[in-house]
């Protein structure tokens, strides 16, 4: 008997994709709008607390998913592997959110999208890797787009400070190192949920020490007790972080990286548009041109990588099929020769 799919799995693929896309846009949109809304509350200048709330949400939800949905327990990766992951995650998240004290939200979103640049630089220096002309052109366009965005922010945002660009740039470098360090643990047999839980747990400990010593944690909770709007924002923001990432990962898993790239790029564009509509700010066409250059170039690079990956997989399958055909032909020739020798033996007898 064939087990028929039930529930969500029984829906047509187009319906599944539409539902997951709506979830991803809703959760990410809520997450990003709340980031900007929290930072605009009078007296709130603790960008690092946004990272703290994210890590609390991801640690809690990933533990629940691992322990109760997938019944995972124990640990495969050694504890000594986690200090680097903790440092990268803490730097990536906290420096990015701290930059909002100095630059506006759209500039942070665009700069955070540019993992391509440090990845290419690190690979060129460490591994002597040479990239294709397309990738170099896209990298140049990304740089040009970032310059245009930063120029617009510098001209139009009174609170602009170059420290913000430095912070968000450092966060991108850390974000470029993080997946490579995680991949090493995956190769040792550690699951995605194991790495997620332990990395975020140790990051939560480090951030707790940092925010308590700086007074940010205590001051934020004092503000939340006196400002119910902030308290609601914090609860929703903490809850929605993990849901946003999980919905995107489900899309990639079910429908492939190409669909994921298109939706991720569209989602970032939506975030920029909503930021300007809901939180009015000075506008410049530099923002539009810069966003098109950055997001468009990143999408081209991502799609090109996926095309090469699919082509390589297709070539491997073709080689495998050719080998199987050769094996069948060889077996056929062997059988035929055996048959002929048997006939010859019969005749001589």
């Amino acid at each position: 008997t064939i087990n028929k799919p039930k529930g969500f799995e029984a829906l047509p693929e187009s319906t599944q994709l539409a539902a997951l896309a709506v979830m991803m846009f809703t959760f990410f949109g809520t997450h990003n709008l709340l980031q900007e809304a929290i930072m605009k509350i009078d007296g709130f200048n603790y960008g690092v607390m946004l990272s703290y709330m994210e890590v609390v949400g991801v640690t809690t939800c990933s533990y629940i998913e691992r322990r109760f949905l997938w019944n995972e327990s124990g640990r495969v990766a050694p504890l000594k592997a986690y200090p680097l992951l903790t440092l990268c995650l803490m730097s990536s998240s906290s420096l990015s959110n701290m930059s909002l004290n100095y630059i506006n939200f759209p500039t942070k979103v665009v700069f955070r999208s540019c993992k391509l640049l440090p990845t290419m630089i690190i690979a060129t220096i460490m591994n002597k890797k040479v990239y294709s002309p397309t990738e170099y052109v896209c990298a140049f366009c990304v740089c040009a787009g970032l310059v245009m965005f930063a120029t617009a922010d510098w001209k139009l945002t009174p609170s602009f400070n170059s420290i913000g660009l430095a912070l968000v740039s450092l966060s991108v470098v850390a974000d470029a190192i993080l997946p490579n360090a995680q991949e090493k643990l995956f190769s040792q047999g550690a699951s995605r949920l194991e790495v997620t839980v332990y990395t975020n747990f140790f990051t939560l400990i480090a951030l707790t020490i940092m925010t308590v010593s700086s007074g940010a944690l205590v001051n934020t909770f004092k503000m939340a007790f006196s400002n119910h709007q902030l308290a609601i924002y914090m609860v929703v923001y903490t809850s929605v972080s993990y849901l946003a990432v999980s919905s995107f990962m489900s899309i990639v898993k079910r429908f492939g990286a190409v669909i994921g790239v298109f939706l991720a790029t569209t989602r970032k564009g939506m975030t920029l548009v909503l930021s300007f509509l809901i939180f009015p700010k000075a506008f410049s066409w530099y923002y539009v041109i810069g966003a098109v250059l950055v997001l468009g170039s990143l999408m081209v690079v991502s799609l090109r990588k996926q095309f090469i990956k699919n082509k390589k997989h297709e070539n491997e399958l073709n080689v495998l099929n050719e080998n199987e055909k050769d094996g069948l032909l060889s077996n056929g020739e062997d059988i035929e020769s055996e048959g002929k020798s048997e006939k010859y033996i019969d005749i001589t007898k």
Side-chain angles (χ1 to χ4, degrees):
T1 59
I2 299 174
N3 291 327
K4 293 183 178 180
K6 299 179 180 180
F8 188 75
E9 301 291 342
L11 297 174
E13 284 195 355
S14 57
T15 306
Q16 292 183 30
L17 177 59
L20 288 171
V22 169
M23 289 170 62
M24 187 194 78
F25 280 98
T26 301
F27 292 140
F28 268 113
T30 303
H31 173 271
N32 294 334
L33 290 175
L34 283 175
Q35 268 193 351
E36 193 164 4
I38 290 171
M39 291 302 298
K40 286 186 175 294
I41 291 178
D42 289 338
F44 188 91
N45 53 4
Y46 308 109
V48 69
M49 285 303 300
L50 295 175
S51 303
Y52 188 85
M53 288 182 274
E54 285 177 358
V55 172
V56 168
V58 172
T59 302
T60 305
C61 294
S62 59
Y63 174 79
I64 293 172
E65 181 180 356
R66 182 175 188 247
R67 184 69 183 86
F68 299 104
L69 294 183
W70 297 102
N71 293 320
E72 279 190 27
S73 59
R75 176 175 47 81
V76 175
L79 288 176
K80 65 181 181 181
Y82 285 101
L84 176 61
L85 290 177
T86 299
L87 177 63
C88 289
L89 179 59
M90 186 171 68
S91 300
S92 171
S93 181
S94 60
L95 292 176
S96 167
N97 289 319
M98 287 166 65
S99 70
L100 290 173
N101 292 322
Y102 306 98
I103 57 177
N104 69 21
F105 186 76
T107 302
K108 178 239 180 185
V109 170
V110 171
F111 268 77
R112 280 286 294 169
S113 303
C114 298
K115 195 191 300 184
L116 170 68
L117 296 180
T119 301
M120 289 180 68
I121 293 171
I122 291 170
T124 301
I125 294 174
M126 295 180 64
N127 303 323
K128 308 298 181 185
K129 185 173 181 179
V130 178
Y131 290 89
S132 68
T134 302
E135 288 172 309
Y136 283 117
V137 170
C138 288
F140 174 79
C141 290
V142 169
C143 291
L146 292 178
V147 169
M148 297 189 77
F149 235 88
T151 301
D153 206 5
W154 171 60
K155 287 184 176 181
L156 300 176
T157 306
S159 61
F160 175 83
N161 192 313
S162 57
I163 293 175
L165 296 183
L167 291 174
V168 74
S169 298
L170 288 173
S171 79
V172 172
V173 173
D175 201 31
I177 299 172
L178 183 60
N180 295 309
Q182 289 175 328
E183 193 66 35
K184 190 173 181 180
L185 298 192
F186 296 149
S187 66
Q188 296 174 0
S191 69
R192 175 187 65 85
L193 284 171
E194 177 192 330
V195 174
T196 301
V197 169
Y198 279 94
T199 303
N200 281 273
F201 176 71
F202 290 127
T203 302
L204 178 60
I205 294 174
L207 282 175
T208 300
I209 295 171
M210 186 171 75
T211 52
V212 168
S213 59
S214 67
L217 184 63
V218 175
N219 291 335
T220 298
F221 276 103
K222 284 182 178 178
M223 286 188 66
F225 280 122
S226 60
N227 187 330
H228 292 165
Q229 184 184 32
L230 174 60
I232 294 172
Y233 284 172
M234 289 172 61
V235 171
V236 177
Y237 182 80
T238 301
S239 305
V240 83
S241 300
Y242 190 69
L243 296 174
V245 176
S246 295
S247 58
F248 174 71
M249 293 305 296
S250 296
I251 289 173
V252 173
K253 182 178 179 180
R254 292 168 183 268
F255 302 101
V258 174
I259 297 295
V261 168
F262 274 115
L263 291 178
T265 305
T266 306
R267 188 260 302 171
K268 290 170 185 174
M270 177 200 73
T271 297
L272 295 176
V273 171
L274 289 177
S275 177
F276 279 98
L277 291 177
I278 297 178
F279 303 100
K281 50 183 69 69
F283 176 78
S284 169
W285 282 103
Y286 278 17
Y287 284 133
V288 178
I289 299 171
V292 170
L293 284 173
V294 171
L295 299 182
S297 299
L298 294 175
M299 185 168 68
V300 168
V301 170
S302 298
L303 292 177
R304 184 180 180 278
K305 285 182 179 178
Q306 190 61 33
F307 174 78
I308 293 173
K309 183 179 178 181
N310 291 340
K311 195 71 176 176
K312 182 179 178 181
H313 182 63
E314 185 180 326
N315 290 337
E316 289 174 351
L317 289 177
N318 289 337
V319 170
L320 184 62
N321 290 334
E322 289 296 327
N323 290 338
E324 289 178 352
K325 287 179 182 178
D326 291 342
L328 290 173
L329 289 174
S330 177
N331 291 336
E333 289 173 358
D334 291 342
I335 293 170
E336 185 178 350
S337 64
E338 287 175 6
K340 286 180 179 179
S341 67
E342 286 176 1
K343 288 178 182 178
Y344 178 75
I345 292 170
D346 289 337
I347 292 171
T348 56
K349 288 180 178 178

